[in-house]
Amino acid sequence: MNLRFAPSPTGNINIGTFRTLMFVYIYSLHLNNKFLLRIDDTDCSRNSYDSCREIFYILNIFNIKYVYHYNQMSVLSICKYYLDLLISNNHVYRCICDTKSYNCDCKNKNLRKGSYVLNSKSVIGNEIVSYNDQLYGNISFKNEIYDVLLCRDNGLPLYNFISVICDIKDKISYIIRGSDHIINTWKQILIYRALKVDLPTFIHLPLVLDINNKKISKRNDNNISILDLLKYGYIRTAIINYVCTLGYSYNNQQYFDYNDIISFFNVKYFSKNNAQYCMHKLLDINRKHLQSSDYYKIIDDYSLYLQLNNNNQVDLKYLPRSYTRYSTLVQLHTDMECFTGLYYVDNLERNKNYLQNYLCLLENLFLTLTSYEDNLNSIFEYLYRKYDYSKKVIHTVFRICTIHVITGPDSATICESLGYSEVYKRIKNYYSIFFNSYS
């Protein structure tokens, strides 16, 4: 049994499409079935090379493995074979009408030109088309049935026909997609019936809506792309966690990892109601995953963040080991710019003016460093006792001398990220500015 993800290369992978991808992939892992990638590229006027490249990029950075992939346009000869089969069984007629319903007189004219249309009456007679959706139950299409356009006059197959042919070719057993595709299902059922092929199991997911209850779509101005979320500092495990809560709930659990959802995945946990994108919930989940991530995973996610934002100025050796103060990688990046020392030149004159008022404190801060090499926190305990300055002033002086900003990460995080040698070197630099006699 196989499952497939079939995106069209006509825009960004948005949060709704990515949710479909994850549920298809997770279900394939849960069932231990094959996962296939099919690029639905029959909309030639809207296809984009960049969009196609993004599909593969997303699958790669999220470590989603497929058995094989192909483009729909590569199976035109197979579609031609099945079209000829339907013609030979008298299920198809040619039509020259410009209409979507195709219930016209062309079927009685034996035309030799025009589009290829499936005669629904020849397939099912007066029977009502229905199927059992794994989520929505029995769905009937009593009033919607009409003849189905299969191919244009030039033989180019349309979406419903080529999708069915590809699913037959690939032996797809489960089709998971958004509920906006329910309207296509009866047409595809007619094609399956005409070809005398058993139906796959259909699972239609509730839609993902924006805050205005409008479907999130790459054709709308509310498109929320996965690449944008990564650029905004959301990490991959959090994005996966979040999309898997959209229209899906297991014991009201909000935080889980990849292996959790694979193990407890079940269609019965889906809601039939549409889900609504909530940035605050995503932010909360991202904070939770940042706090629980280990150092090497953060390096990986942060490196991806830098790559997507075309930034190579920070030095990863200063990456802190604790992430409890961060909700996104944007906040971490702000600190990393400080740790790398990017603000030294820009803020030098302001910092010199500030430190001019605390030269005695600066001098003792530097001179005590050699005595507390193994315990930087002891420096602050000593300074608290020696001076009447507030802790805020002492830590501000330390922050200016080490990362060149007045407000920013706390002293403990600075010490952890820079280490003693770098702290010593940077404080010595400011000390030398005011106390030139030091050598």
Side-chain angles (χ1 to χ4, degrees):
M1 295 193 294
N2 300 327
L3 289 89
R4 50 78 166 170
F5 174 57
S8 60
T10 56
N12 298 117
I13 297 291
N14 64 33
I15 199 164
T17 303
F18 185 74
R19 182 192 62 159
T20 300
L21 163 62
M22 290 313 307
F23 280 135
V24 173
Y25 186 58
I26 287 168
Y27 201 24
S28 72
L29 295 175
H30 179 79
L31 297 173
N32 197 27
N33 287 176
K34 293 179 180 178
F35 173 75
L36 313 179
L37 173 63
R38 185 181 81 214
I39 307 298
D40 285 1
D41 60 343
T42 53
D43 191 349
C44 299
S45 64
R46 295 179 60 235
N47 288 341
S48 160
Y49 172 76
D50 288 340
S51 297
C52 188
R53 186 172 60 178
E54 180 180 317
I55 292 168
F56 290 98
Y57 182 69
I58 290 290
L59 267 66
N60 179 54
I61 62 177
F62 281 90
N63 198 32
I64 295 173
K65 308 295 184 184
Y66 47 85
V67 177
Y68 63 83
H69 81 274
Y70 68 95
N71 290 36
Q72 272 192 334
M73 291 295 284
S74 68
V75 300
L76 295 182
S77 60
I78 300 176
C79 290
K80 177 66 167 57
Y81 167 81
Y82 281 103
L83 178 63
D84 290 342
L85 182 62
L86 291 172
I87 292 172
S88 66
N89 289 329
N90 298 316
H91 289 318
V92 172
Y93 63 90
R94 306 291 291 272
C95 179
I96 57 174
C97 300
D98 184 17
T99 176
K100 291 186 177 181
S101 64
Y102 294 100
N103 285 345
C104 58
D105 291 335
C106 289
K107 69 181 68 176
N108 302 316
K109 295 180 179 179
N110 196 27
L111 299 173
R112 295 184 179 276
K113 64 178 182 177
S115 302
Y116 296 85
V117 182
L118 181 67
N119 187 340
S120 61
K121 289 286 187 182
S122 72
V123 178
I124 60 168
N126 294 319
E127 181 183 339
I128 296 174
V129 175
S130 64
Y131 79 101
N132 184 53
D133 191 284
Q134 284 284 88
L135 178 58
Y136 290 95
N138 185 265
I139 295 179
S140 298
F141 303 93
K142 182 177 181 179
N143 300 319
E144 295 122 10
I145 302 302
Y146 47 81
D147 293 349
V148 179
L149 178 62
L150 301 179
C151 298
R152 298 293 186 191
D153 189 20
N154 59 7
L156 184 66
L158 271 71
Y159 168 77
N160 286 301
F161 183 50
I162 195 170
S163 292
V164 169
I165 300 310
C166 288
D167 288 336
I168 291 173
K169 178 186 79 71
D170 295 327
K171 298 180 174 59
I172 299 300
S173 48
Y174 291 91
I175 294 178
I176 301 177
R177 57 192 182 185
S179 60
D180 52 336
H181 281 281
I182 289 178
I183 194 172
N184 293 318
T185 306
W186 69 264
K187 301 173 187 178
Q188 296 173 3
I189 290 174
L190 283 178
I191 298 170
Y192 277 107
R193 293 279 295 275
L195 293 171
K196 296 182 171 56
V197 176
D198 291 338
L199 297 179
T201 298
F202 291 97
I203 305 172
H204 288 95
L205 307 178
L207 301 179
V208 180
L209 310 179
D210 64 14
I211 57 174
N212 298 314
N213 289 319
K214 183 179 179 181
K215 178 193 170 187
I216 291 176
S217 169
K218 55 191 171 185
R219 298 195 188 196
N220 296 333
D221 57 6
N222 63 355
N223 190 35
I224 302 168
S225 80
I226 296 302
L227 284 184
D228 283 343
L229 292 181
L230 292 168
K231 288 178 183 178
Y232 297 155
Y234 295 95
I235 64 175
R236 284 165 286 186
T237 55
I239 294 173
I240 292 172
N241 184 161
Y242 177 68
V243 300
C244 289
T245 66
L246 293 171
Y248 188 90
S249 179
Y250 174 75
N251 291 339
N252 293 318
Q253 188 172 335
Q254 294 297 312
Y255 310 107
F256 41 76
D257 63 26
Y258 208 34
N259 293 326
D260 289 337
I261 190 151
I262 292 171
S263 63
F264 63 63
F265 185 87
N266 195 303
V267 176
K268 69 181 181 180
Y269 298 130
F270 280 109
S271 169
K272 295 179 183 179
N273 300 318
N274 292 330
Q276 191 172 58
Y277 170 74
C278 177
M279 184 183 68
H280 298 295
K281 183 177 178 181
L282 172 58
L283 191 65
D284 181 61
I285 290 175
N286 200 65
R287 183 186 303 111
K288 186 80 171 180
H289 278 265
L290 270 174
Q291 292 174 355
S292 60
S293 287
D294 65 42
Y295 177 71
Y296 295 102
K297 285 183 179 179
I298 293 297
I299 286 181
D300 197 29
D301 277 304
Y302 184 53
S303 298
L304 176 63
Y305 168 84
L306 294 174
Q307 178 190 71
L308 290 172
N309 287 284
N310 298 312
N311 189 307
N312 59 0
Q313 291 183 294
V314 299
D315 193 334
L316 289 176
K317 72 180 181 182
Y318 297 127
L319 191 72
R321 299 276 177 159
S322 174
Y323 314 103
T324 55
R325 61 183 263 108
Y326 308 118
S327 295
T328 70
L329 294 177
V330 174
Q331 296 164 323
L332 171 62
H333 181 65
T334 299
D335 283 0
M336 283 294 292
E337 289 181 320
C338 296
F339 299 147
T340 305
L342 298 184
Y343 300 121
Y344 173 70
V345 174
D346 290 345
N347 295 342
L348 180 59
E349 289 305 314
R350 184 201 65 183
N351 290 341
K352 285 166 62 177
N353 290 335
Y354 184 94
L355 292 173
Q356 191 72 46
N357 300 312
Y358 303 103
L359 292 181
C360 186
L361 177 58
L362 170 60
E363 181 180 23
N364 277 274
L365 174 60
F366 174 71
L367 295 177
T368 53
L369 276 171
T370 54
S371 303
Y372 296 98
E373 181 174 346
D374 295 330
N375 188 358
L376 287 169
N377 288 330
S378 297
I379 296 174
F380 300 110
E381 295 298 328
Y382 168 77
L383 295 175
Y384 297 157
R385 294 193 303 268
K386 185 173 180 63
Y387 295 101
D388 292 331
Y389 296 122
S390 68
K391 291 183 178 180
K392 179 180 179 180
V393 168
I394 293 173
H395 286 285
T396 299
V397 169
F398 178 79
R399 191 179 296 114
I400 287 175
C401 291
T402 52
I403 61 174
H404 322 302
V405 293
I406 292 176
T407 60
D410 58 70
S411 299
T413 302
I414 295 170
C415 292
E416 174 194 63
S417 300
L418 301 185
Y420 172 81
S421 296
E422 188 66 23
V423 166
Y424 179 86
K425 183 176 77 173
R426 294 188 183 188
I427 293 178
K428 176 183 177 181
N429 176 68
Y430 276 96
Y431 177 84
S432 300
I433 291 173
F434 294 101
F435 301 94
N436 292 322
S437 60
Y438 179 82
S439 58

